[in-house]
């Protein structure tokens, strides 16, 4: 593995009527390993609390791996909690479709990647940070 990224996210509800929303998006490429462990813990008597998780990991190539571990530790009944977990390879049919319309492999990957991160980038109010993220995607994918 050329690089390893290990994310550990922990949301601990220690008061009633608290709210947590965790969304992570990650891409594994070039023989990397991406690991995300996300735990939301709602303690007893923390009524009316909410905890939501959304973990999405995209694998670019067969040399890379991704591991996702969403965990809900719920010690109270009067709460709302959910988790979504999506882990998958870059769809070769999508890449082929875009290539058939004149894009290179890297252009197709970049377009798919930008769609993957689009709503994350748009949620950031600072245009400078948005530009930095787009530029980093350009550097990582090329073209």
């Amino acid at each position: 593995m050329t690089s390893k990224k290990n994310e550990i996210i922990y949301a601990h509800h220690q008061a009633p009527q608290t709210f947590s929303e965790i969304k992570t998006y990650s891409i594994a490429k070039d023989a990397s390993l991406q690991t995300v462990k996300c735990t939301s813990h709602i303690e007893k008597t923390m009524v009316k609390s909410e905890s939501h998780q959304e973990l999405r990991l995209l694998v670019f190539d067969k040399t890379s791996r991704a591991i996702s571990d969403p965990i809900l530790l719920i010690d109270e009944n009067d709460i709302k909690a959910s988790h979504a977990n999506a882990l998958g390879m870059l769809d070769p049919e999508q890449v082929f479709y875009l290539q058939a319309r004149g894009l290179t492999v890297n252009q197709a990957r970049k377009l798919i990647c930008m769609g993957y991160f689009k709503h994350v980038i748009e949620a950031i109010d600072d245009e400078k940070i948005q530009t930095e993220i787009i530029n980093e995607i350009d550097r990582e994918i090329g073209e």
Side-chain angles (χ1 to χ4, degrees), residues 25 27 58 107-122 137 141:
Y25 290 74
I27 293 177
L58 181 62
Q107 288 171 333
R109 286 177 157 192
K110 179 181 169 188
L111 188 60
I112 293 167
C113 187
M114 292 304 292
Y116 180 72
F117 282 116
K118 184 178 189 289
H119 74 279
V120 174
I121 294 168
E122 289 176 347
I137 291 169
I141 298 171

PDB file of all heavy atoms in Angstrom, residues 25 27 58 107-122 137 141:
ATOM      1  N   TYR A  25     -16.920  11.464   2.908  1.00  0.00           N
ATOM      2  CA  TYR A  25     -16.734  11.018   1.532  1.00  0.00           C
ATOM      3  C   TYR A  25     -15.242  10.815   1.337  1.00  0.00           C
ATOM      4  O   TYR A  25     -14.446  11.692   1.683  1.00  0.00           O
ATOM      5  CB  TYR A  25     -17.261  12.062   0.538  1.00  0.00           C
ATOM      6  CG  TYR A  25     -18.762  12.163   0.539  1.00  0.00           C
ATOM      7  CD1 TYR A  25     -19.441  12.774   1.580  1.00  0.00           C
ATOM      8  CD2 TYR A  25     -19.495  11.635  -0.503  1.00  0.00           C
ATOM      9  CE1 TYR A  25     -20.819  12.857   1.587  1.00  0.00           C
ATOM     10  CE2 TYR A  25     -20.885  11.711  -0.508  1.00  0.00           C
ATOM     11  CZ  TYR A  25     -21.536  12.323   0.540  1.00  0.00           C
ATOM     12  OH  TYR A  25     -22.911  12.398   0.546  1.00  0.00           O
ATOM     13  N   ILE A  27     -12.038   8.768  -1.221  1.00  0.00           N
ATOM     14  CA  ILE A  27     -11.658   8.036  -2.429  1.00  0.00           C
ATOM     15  C   ILE A  27     -10.345   7.318  -2.157  1.00  0.00           C
ATOM     16  O   ILE A  27      -9.400   7.915  -1.649  1.00  0.00           O
ATOM     17  CB  ILE A  27     -11.505   8.973  -3.635  1.00  0.00           C
ATOM     18  CG1 ILE A  27     -12.866   9.558  -4.020  1.00  0.00           C
ATOM     19  CG2 ILE A  27     -10.882   8.244  -4.815  1.00  0.00           C
ATOM     20  CD1 ILE A  27     -12.809  10.545  -5.157  1.00  0.00           C
ATOM     21  N   LEU A  58     -15.322   5.540  -2.236  1.00  0.00           N
ATOM     22  CA  LEU A  58     -15.211   5.189  -3.647  1.00  0.00           C
ATOM     23  C   LEU A  58     -13.813   4.650  -3.909  1.00  0.00           C
ATOM     24  O   LEU A  58     -12.824   5.272  -3.537  1.00  0.00           O
ATOM     25  CB  LEU A  58     -15.469   6.432  -4.512  1.00  0.00           C
ATOM     26  CG  LEU A  58     -15.417   6.279  -6.020  1.00  0.00           C
ATOM     27  CD1 LEU A  58     -16.501   5.313  -6.508  1.00  0.00           C
ATOM     28  CD2 LEU A  58     -15.597   7.640  -6.682  1.00  0.00           C
ATOM     29  N   GLN A 107     -10.199  12.273 -17.698  1.00  0.00           N
ATOM     30  CA  GLN A 107     -11.287  13.250 -17.737  1.00  0.00           C
ATOM     31  C   GLN A 107     -12.587  12.625 -17.232  1.00  0.00           C
ATOM     32  O   GLN A 107     -13.344  13.265 -16.493  1.00  0.00           O
ATOM     33  CB  GLN A 107     -11.467  13.792 -19.154  1.00  0.00           C
ATOM     34  CG  GLN A 107     -10.364  14.721 -19.606  1.00  0.00           C
ATOM     35  CD  GLN A 107     -10.469  15.057 -21.086  1.00  0.00           C
ATOM     36  OE1 GLN A 107     -10.996  14.282 -21.890  1.00  0.00           O
ATOM     37  NE2 GLN A 107      -9.954  16.226 -21.459  1.00  0.00           N
ATOM     38  N   ALA A 108     -12.838  11.383 -17.631  1.00  0.00           N
ATOM     39  CA  ALA A 108     -14.050  10.686 -17.180  1.00  0.00           C
ATOM     40  C   ALA A 108     -14.007  10.474 -15.668  1.00  0.00           C
ATOM     41  O   ALA A 108     -14.998  10.729 -14.969  1.00  0.00           O
ATOM     42  CB  ALA A 108     -14.187   9.345 -17.904  1.00  0.00           C
ATOM     43  N   ARG A 109     -12.859  10.022 -15.148  1.00  0.00           N
ATOM     44  CA  ARG A 109     -12.711   9.824 -13.698  1.00  0.00           C
ATOM     45  C   ARG A 109     -12.923  11.135 -12.954  1.00  0.00           C
ATOM     46  O   ARG A 109     -13.586  11.172 -11.921  1.00  0.00           O
ATOM     47  CB  ARG A 109     -11.328   9.281 -13.374  1.00  0.00           C
ATOM     48  CG  ARG A 109     -11.128   7.844 -13.716  1.00  0.00           C
ATOM     49  CD  ARG A 109      -9.703   7.461 -13.423  1.00  0.00           C
ATOM     50  NE  ARG A 109      -9.594   6.040 -13.208  1.00  0.00           N
ATOM     51  CZ  ARG A 109      -8.529   5.453 -12.714  1.00  0.00           C
ATOM     52  NH1 ARG A 109      -7.471   6.150 -12.388  1.00  0.00           N
ATOM     53  NH2 ARG A 109      -8.510   4.152 -12.537  1.00  0.00           N
ATOM     54  N   LYS A 110     -12.335  12.204 -13.484  1.00  0.00           N
ATOM     55  CA  LYS A 110     -12.458  13.510 -12.832  1.00  0.00           C
ATOM     56  C   LYS A 110     -13.915  13.960 -12.815  1.00  0.00           C
ATOM     57  O   LYS A 110     -14.406  14.446 -11.797  1.00  0.00           O
ATOM     58  CB  LYS A 110     -11.594  14.537 -13.556  1.00  0.00           C
ATOM     59  CG  LYS A 110     -11.681  15.915 -12.954  1.00  0.00           C
ATOM     60  CD  LYS A 110     -10.824  16.895 -13.713  1.00  0.00           C
ATOM     61  CE  LYS A 110     -11.121  18.301 -13.287  1.00  0.00           C
ATOM     62  NZ  LYS A 110     -10.444  19.276 -14.121  1.00  0.00           N
ATOM     63  N   LEU A 111     -14.627  13.793 -13.923  1.00  0.00           N
ATOM     64  CA  LEU A 111     -16.030  14.197 -13.998  1.00  0.00           C
ATOM     65  C   LEU A 111     -16.877  13.408 -12.985  1.00  0.00           C
ATOM     66  O   LEU A 111     -17.701  13.986 -12.266  1.00  0.00           O
ATOM     67  CB  LEU A 111     -16.560  14.000 -15.417  1.00  0.00           C
ATOM     68  CG  LEU A 111     -17.949  14.544 -15.701  1.00  0.00           C
ATOM     69  CD1 LEU A 111     -18.014  16.057 -15.464  1.00  0.00           C
ATOM     70  CD2 LEU A 111     -18.348  14.231 -17.128  1.00  0.00           C
ATOM     71  N   ILE A 112     -16.642  12.110 -12.905  1.00  0.00           N
ATOM     72  CA  ILE A 112     -17.371  11.276 -11.938  1.00  0.00           C
ATOM     73  C   ILE A 112     -17.040  11.713 -10.512  1.00  0.00           C
ATOM     74  O   ILE A 112     -17.917  11.840  -9.657  1.00  0.00           O
ATOM     75  CB  ILE A 112     -17.052   9.784 -12.158  1.00  0.00           C
ATOM     76  CG1 ILE A 112     -17.616   9.329 -13.515  1.00  0.00           C
ATOM     77  CG2 ILE A 112     -17.614   8.933 -11.024  1.00  0.00           C
ATOM     78  CD1 ILE A 112     -17.096   7.982 -13.990  1.00  0.00           C
ATOM     79  N   CYS A 113     -15.763  11.960 -10.271  1.00  0.00           N
ATOM     80  CA  CYS A 113     -15.310  12.390  -8.953  1.00  0.00           C
ATOM     81  C   CYS A 113     -15.932  13.738  -8.563  1.00  0.00           C
ATOM     82  O   CYS A 113     -16.366  13.929  -7.430  1.00  0.00           O
ATOM     83  CB  CYS A 113     -13.791  12.473  -8.950  1.00  0.00           C
ATOM     84  SG  CYS A 113     -13.087  12.810  -7.345  1.00  0.00           S
ATOM     85  N   MET A 114     -15.975  14.674  -9.511  1.00  0.00           N
ATOM     86  CA  MET A 114     -16.574  15.979  -9.218  1.00  0.00           C
ATOM     87  C   MET A 114     -18.064  15.827  -8.891  1.00  0.00           C
ATOM     88  O   MET A 114     -18.578  16.511  -8.010  1.00  0.00           O
ATOM     89  CB  MET A 114     -16.372  16.936 -10.393  1.00  0.00           C
ATOM     90  CG  MET A 114     -14.927  17.345 -10.601  1.00  0.00           C
ATOM     91  SD  MET A 114     -14.153  18.081  -9.149  1.00  0.00           S
ATOM     92  CE  MET A 114     -15.044  19.602  -9.053  1.00  0.00           C
ATOM     93  N   GLY A 115     -18.746  14.929  -9.585  1.00  0.00           N
ATOM     94  CA  GLY A 115     -20.143  14.658  -9.255  1.00  0.00           C
ATOM     95  C   GLY A 115     -20.290  14.054  -7.870  1.00  0.00           C
ATOM     96  O   GLY A 115     -21.230  14.363  -7.132  1.00  0.00           O
ATOM     97  N   TYR A 116     -19.340  13.213  -7.506  1.00  0.00           N
ATOM     98  CA  TYR A 116     -19.330  12.556  -6.195  1.00  0.00           C
ATOM     99  C   TYR A 116     -19.198  13.596  -5.070  1.00  0.00           C
ATOM    100  O   TYR A 116     -19.858  13.508  -4.041  1.00  0.00           O
ATOM    101  CB  TYR A 116     -18.166  11.559  -6.185  1.00  0.00           C
ATOM    102  CG  TYR A 116     -17.957  10.758  -4.938  1.00  0.00           C
ATOM    103  CD1 TYR A 116     -18.823   9.742  -4.574  1.00  0.00           C
ATOM    104  CD2 TYR A 116     -16.840  10.979  -4.142  1.00  0.00           C
ATOM    105  CE1 TYR A 116     -18.599   8.977  -3.444  1.00  0.00           C
ATOM    106  CE2 TYR A 116     -16.602  10.215  -3.015  1.00  0.00           C
ATOM    107  CZ  TYR A 116     -17.484   9.218  -2.670  1.00  0.00           C
ATOM    108  OH  TYR A 116     -17.260   8.465  -1.550  1.00  0.00           O
ATOM    109  N   PHE A 117     -18.334  14.587  -5.284  1.00  0.00           N
ATOM    110  CA  PHE A 117     -18.069  15.596  -4.254  1.00  0.00           C
ATOM    111  C   PHE A 117     -18.879  16.879  -4.427  1.00  0.00           C
ATOM    112  O   PHE A 117     -18.766  17.794  -3.612  1.00  0.00           O
ATOM    113  CB  PHE A 117     -16.586  15.967  -4.250  1.00  0.00           C
ATOM    114  CG  PHE A 117     -15.712  14.949  -3.575  1.00  0.00           C
ATOM    115  CD1 PHE A 117     -14.758  14.263  -4.302  1.00  0.00           C
ATOM    116  CD2 PHE A 117     -15.835  14.682  -2.229  1.00  0.00           C
ATOM    117  CE1 PHE A 117     -13.935  13.337  -3.695  1.00  0.00           C
ATOM    118  CE2 PHE A 117     -15.028  13.753  -1.607  1.00  0.00           C
ATOM    119  CZ  PHE A 117     -14.070  13.083  -2.338  1.00  0.00           C
ATOM    120  N   LYS A 118     -19.694  16.974  -5.487  1.00  0.00           N
ATOM    121  CA  LYS A 118     -20.375  18.224  -5.828  1.00  0.00           C
ATOM    122  C   LYS A 118     -21.135  18.844  -4.658  1.00  0.00           C
ATOM    123  O   LYS A 118     -20.933  20.005  -4.321  1.00  0.00           O
ATOM    124  CB  LYS A 118     -21.331  17.990  -7.002  1.00  0.00           C
ATOM    125  CG  LYS A 118     -22.020  19.258  -7.496  1.00  0.00           C
ATOM    126  CD  LYS A 118     -22.914  18.934  -8.688  1.00  0.00           C
ATOM    127  CE  LYS A 118     -23.463  20.147  -9.351  1.00  0.00           C
ATOM    128  NZ  LYS A 118     -24.449  20.876  -8.648  1.00  0.00           N
ATOM    129  N   HIS A 119     -22.007  18.084  -4.025  1.00  0.00           N
ATOM    130  CA  HIS A 119     -22.809  18.693  -2.955  1.00  0.00           C
ATOM    131  C   HIS A 119     -21.974  18.998  -1.715  1.00  0.00           C
ATOM    132  O   HIS A 119     -22.301  19.884  -0.939  1.00  0.00           O
ATOM    133  CB  HIS A 119     -24.040  17.846  -2.626  1.00  0.00           C
ATOM    134  CG  HIS A 119     -23.776  16.608  -1.866  1.00  0.00           C
ATOM    135  ND1 HIS A 119     -23.334  15.445  -2.452  1.00  0.00           N
ATOM    136  CD2 HIS A 119     -23.865  16.346  -0.544  1.00  0.00           C
ATOM    137  CE1 HIS A 119     -23.173  14.535  -1.531  1.00  0.00           C
ATOM    138  NE2 HIS A 119     -23.476  15.048  -0.362  1.00  0.00           N
ATOM    139  N   VAL A 120     -20.857  18.289  -1.529  1.00  0.00           N
ATOM    140  CA  VAL A 120     -19.957  18.594  -0.418  1.00  0.00           C
ATOM    141  C   VAL A 120     -19.293  19.947  -0.680  1.00  0.00           C
ATOM    142  O   VAL A 120     -19.248  20.813   0.199  1.00  0.00           O
ATOM    143  CB  VAL A 120     -18.880  17.492  -0.257  1.00  0.00           C
ATOM    144  CG1 VAL A 120     -17.864  17.877   0.803  1.00  0.00           C
ATOM    145  CG2 VAL A 120     -19.533  16.164   0.076  1.00  0.00           C
ATOM    146  N   ILE A 121     -18.796  20.131  -1.893  1.00  0.00           N
ATOM    147  CA  ILE A 121     -18.135  21.392  -2.254  1.00  0.00           C
ATOM    148  C   ILE A 121     -19.121  22.554  -2.179  1.00  0.00           C
ATOM    149  O   ILE A 121     -18.798  23.621  -1.642  1.00  0.00           O
ATOM    150  CB  ILE A 121     -17.502  21.280  -3.662  1.00  0.00           C
ATOM    151  CG1 ILE A 121     -16.362  20.251  -3.638  1.00  0.00           C
ATOM    152  CG2 ILE A 121     -17.004  22.635  -4.147  1.00  0.00           C
ATOM    153  CD1 ILE A 121     -15.856  19.849  -5.016  1.00  0.00           C
ATOM    154  N   GLU A 122     -20.330  22.351  -2.686  1.00  0.00           N
ATOM    155  CA  GLU A 122     -21.339  23.415  -2.673  1.00  0.00           C
ATOM    156  C   GLU A 122     -21.780  23.792  -1.261  1.00  0.00           C
ATOM    157  O   GLU A 122     -22.247  24.910  -1.030  1.00  0.00           O
ATOM    158  CB  GLU A 122     -22.548  23.012  -3.510  1.00  0.00           C
ATOM    159  CG  GLU A 122     -22.270  22.998  -4.994  1.00  0.00           C
ATOM    160  CD  GLU A 122     -23.435  22.497  -5.821  1.00  0.00           C
ATOM    161  OE1 GLU A 122     -24.395  21.923  -5.251  1.00  0.00           O
ATOM    162  OE2 GLU A 122     -23.388  22.683  -7.055  1.00  0.00           O
ATOM    163  N   ILE A 137      -8.473  17.942  -6.403  1.00  0.00           N
ATOM    164  CA  ILE A 137      -9.024  16.853  -7.221  1.00  0.00           C
ATOM    165  C   ILE A 137      -8.326  16.835  -8.575  1.00  0.00           C
ATOM    166  O   ILE A 137      -7.936  15.773  -9.071  1.00  0.00           O
ATOM    167  CB  ILE A 137     -10.553  17.001  -7.368  1.00  0.00           C
ATOM    168  CG1 ILE A 137     -11.228  16.741  -6.009  1.00  0.00           C
ATOM    169  CG2 ILE A 137     -11.093  16.025  -8.416  1.00  0.00           C
ATOM    170  CD1 ILE A 137     -12.697  17.107  -5.964  1.00  0.00           C
ATOM    171  N   ILE A 141      -6.181  13.529  -9.796  1.00  0.00           N
ATOM    172  CA  ILE A 141      -6.697  12.719 -10.898  1.00  0.00           C
ATOM    173  C   ILE A 141      -5.993  13.047 -12.213  1.00  0.00           C
ATOM    174  O   ILE A 141      -5.830  12.192 -13.065  1.00  0.00           O
ATOM    175  CB  ILE A 141      -8.228  12.869 -11.009  1.00  0.00           C
ATOM    176  CG1 ILE A 141      -8.853  12.350  -9.730  1.00  0.00           C
ATOM    177  CG2 ILE A 141      -8.771  12.125 -12.209  1.00  0.00           C
ATOM    178  CD1 ILE A 141     -10.291  12.600  -9.581  1.00  0.00           C
TER     179      ILE A 141
END
